[in-house]
Amino acid sequence: MAKDHIFEILQKELEGKELGPQKEEIGRVVSVGDGVVQIEGLPHAVFSEMIEITRWPGNLDTPAVPALVLNLEEYMVGAVVLGDDSKIQEGDLVKRTKKVLSVPVGEALLGRVVNPLGEPLDGKGSIGAIESLPIERSSPQVLDRESVDTPLATGMKVVDAAIPIGRGQRELIIGDRQIGKTALVQDAIVNQLNEPAETRPICLYVAIGQKASKVAQMVQELESKGAMDYTIVVAASSSDPASLWYIAPYAGCSMAEYFRDKGKDVLIMYDDLSKHAWAWRQLALLLRRPPGREAYPGDVFYLHSRLLERAAKLSPEKGGGSLTALPIVETQLGDVSSYIPTNVISITDGQIYLESDLFSKGQRPAVNIGLSVSRVGSSAQTKAMKKVASQLKLDLAQYQELVAFVQFAQDLDESTRKRIERGSRLMELLKQQQFEVLPMEEQVCVLFAANHGFIDSVPVENVQAFEKKLLEFLKNHHQDILDTIKETKDLSDETQEQLKRAIHGFSETTEK
């Protein structure tokens, strides 16, 4: 009886399974070097397919080295190694997986640091993600998108007022090295703590070719602020092969799209796409693709356009989620007209230009308002911010024009001198140290005070101290005004009068 029972179980297990010999495509490594392998004997391999390379002859139990197919030629297949190519030799066996490269996605990744393959780098154990998505996915169709109408606050006065970003926008951050590009996106991550938990965006930071120590320091700072709870860090460090640099932004984007497709708002930062383009140039040249301008391959524009087009605000029928992209591009000596910067500028919806001259003068963040633009965000600004920002932009534009003009003039008329003095105070007011982010209602109050001349009599060196004391005064004595602005997101005539009286009262007490 027991034998019959075992027989039935075995019969059920083996039902529908082919027990005959299986036909499998096995290739052979012809050459290997610099992270690129040429393979023969895989006539049915497809672009972006994962393959596994195993040692032959030798111990077949040793772990296979993964590689990604990128070249399909008549008799050969070119692939880039996603691991250590020193373990690969000529003659090794290559197996097809018949799967495209995918990465784990899901809530389990929040608070974690992973490599572009989704493997943990933070020593907190394995990731229990049960879903995966291919790294290359098509961008949302035009009819599936909706216009950008919700602000994404960065906590930086100069950005939120003059170059606002909306949820679903692509805003380029561009400038020379070491002038605060990464600090700007770090502030944007930390500032999401000021957002209500139910509408707080999930943040993804993709480090491409950054030092591992720099990424570790950033993660430590985000953890100390409590910002890692809603953040995922994807790191392809400077010691990793170029193939991991290449797949990093696509992998990060797929992780972000998981949340976007669930109807959530997501903010993703690519730091930086210059190094991404360098990695692709390196791989393309090793794969014997024809070089074009500056030795980049012909598809270097498509490299970034297919990535950044995946950022969008989806229509309510598609869940209403959004993916906001903040790509970073490094310039050489402020040259925004070179190949990669102009490519990415033409793909994005505006740029925040950081200038080394402003940085050296102590302006933090060193944003050049004249060269920076947001083609979408102003339609996503809150009504309160719109009311104070329009005057700010006008005053700053006049100031910059006059400063350039009057540096050769000796005598200034009264109105010109007043505009220059107000402009210099506004520039001082827009200074913000790293992690000193301000919620929208506090920014509105500070800029309102500037627009109505309350800082005109304050010495330039005391402007930042005036701002801090004013905010303390409002929090201690007029919290109701801040709450009203926060709730209504507007600056009604009544609120303006209350705010004017409050600031006037504060000015009188400070003068005494």
Side-chain angles (χ1 to χ4, degrees), residues 136-442:
E136 296 274 8
R137 301 178 76 212
S138 58
S139 58
Q141 301 298 309
V142 173
L143 295 176
D144 294 338
R145 297 172 184 243
E146 202 174 53
S147 57
V148 174
D149 59 5
T150 312
L152 188 133
T154 63
M156 309 301 287
K157 287 169 291 204
V158 65
V159 176
D160 292 345
I163 320 137
I165 300 168
R167 296 191 183 192
Q169 190 176 342
R170 300 156 300 177
E171 184 80 6
L172 171 64
I173 297 169
I174 186 168
D176 288 3
R177 64 188 301 273
Q178 295 293 325
I179 59 169
K181 300 188 296 297
T182 303
L184 196 66
V185 298
Q186 272 182 273
D187 282 339
I189 295 173
V190 171
N191 186 61
Q192 303 318 312
L193 287 165
N194 289 324
E195 294 290 318
E198 60 275 8
T199 59
R200 183 179 295 152
I202 303 289
C203 297
L204 273 103
Y205 175 76
V206 182
I208 307 162
Q210 306 289 330
K211 288 180 188 170
S213 57
K214 185 182 170 186
V215 176
Q217 185 184 352
M218 178 181 172
V219 171
Q220 199 173 359
E221 284 167 346
L222 292 177
E223 275 181 343
S224 68
K225 299 276 187 295
M228 274 304 284
D229 295 345
Y230 53 86
T231 304
I232 302 167
V233 176
V234 180
S237 69
S238 51
S239 58
D240 287 330
S243 52
L244 289 183
W245 291 24
Y246 163 65
I247 66 169
Y250 302 108
C253 195
S254 289
M255 292 173 190
E257 283 175 333
Y258 168 85
F259 296 102
R260 182 202 68 189
D261 295 342
K262 298 272 184 195
K264 294 184 180 178
D265 293 315
V266 191
L267 170 64
I268 186 165
M269 292 136 279
Y270 306 109
D271 190 7
D272 66 273
L273 291 189
S274 306
K275 291 190 177 74
H276 186 231
W278 298 348
W280 181 234
R281 173 169 60 183
Q282 181 181 328
L283 293 174
L285 291 172
L286 289 166
L287 287 163
R288 305 283 180 192
R289 293 192 177 188
R293 178 178 164 186
E294 292 182 26
Y296 287 105
D299 65 347
V300 76
F301 182 89
Y302 180 58
L303 176 79
H304 292 147
S305 65
R306 74 177 190 265
L307 171 70
L308 294 170
E309 277 299 317
R310 289 162 72 174
K313 186 176 194 297
L314 297 183
S315 63
E317 293 77 29
K318 291 287 176 181
S322 72
L323 176 56
T324 310
L326 295 181
I328 293 175
V329 164
E330 188 181 294
T331 54
Q332 308 291 325
L333 299 173
D335 182 15
V336 291
S337 62
S338 58
Y339 193 22
I340 301 303
T342 49
N343 274 359
V344 184
I345 285 170
S346 64
I347 297 163
T348 48
D349 308 309
Q351 66 276 349
I352 297 170
Y353 178 52
L354 301 180
E355 195 173 41
S356 48
D357 286 351
L358 286 172
F359 187 83
S360 59
K361 286 174 187 170
Q363 192 73 27
R364 304 282 189 282
V367 176
N368 181 320
I369 296 168
L371 291 178
S372 301
V373 65
S374 172
R375 301 189 188 97
V376 179
S378 56
S379 58
Q381 264 182 319
T382 59
K383 287 180 182 176
M385 187 58 87
K386 261 187 187 172
K387 285 176 181 174
V388 294
S390 54
Q391 182 63 41
L392 172 81
K393 285 191 273 191
L394 183 65
D395 287 345
L396 285 171
Q398 289 176 340
Y399 167 70
Q400 288 176 340
E401 199 173 298
L402 287 170
V403 161
F405 179 70
V406 303
Q407 59 183 327
F408 305 109
Q410 296 296 319
D411 299 321
L412 299 176
D413 61 88
E414 187 65 19
S415 66
T416 305
R417 188 179 58 77
K418 278 185 176 176
R419 280 180 185 171
I420 289 173
E421 285 187 357
R422 173 172 282 201
S424 61
R425 283 166 175 76
L426 284 175
M427 292 299 284
E428 191 68 22
L429 191 70
L430 291 177
K431 286 183 182 177
Q432 257 174 289
Q433 294 303 314
Q434 193 172 4
F435 302 125
E436 287 184 4
V437 291
L438 291 177
M440 178 271 294
E441 62 275 13
E442 291 183 19

Side-chain angles (χ1 to χ4, degrees), residues 43-119:
H44 297 104
V46 297
F47 179 79
S48 201
E49 183 182 356
M50 286 293 288
I51 53 175
E52 293 178 339
I53 303 168
T54 49
R55 178 58 56 86
W56 181 264
N59 183 5
L60 293 179
D61 294 330
T62 55
V65 180
L68 179 69
V69 173
L70 289 179
N71 262 19
L72 299 172
E73 296 165 23
E74 194 172 359
Y75 300 108
M76 297 277 243
V77 166
V80 294
V81 181
L82 300 175
D84 186 2
D85 66 345
S86 63
K87 296 176 182 174
I88 301 170
Q89 292 180 357
E90 194 178 317
D92 283 356
L93 298 183
V94 185
K95 280 186 185 179
R96 285 183 63 198
T97 64
K98 298 179 183 174
K99 293 175 188 171
V100 293
L101 177 56
S102 298
V103 288
V105 295
E107 308 276 345
L109 286 163
L110 291 173
R112 301 299 301 269
V113 183
V114 296
N115 71 6
L117 299 172
E119 297 162 348

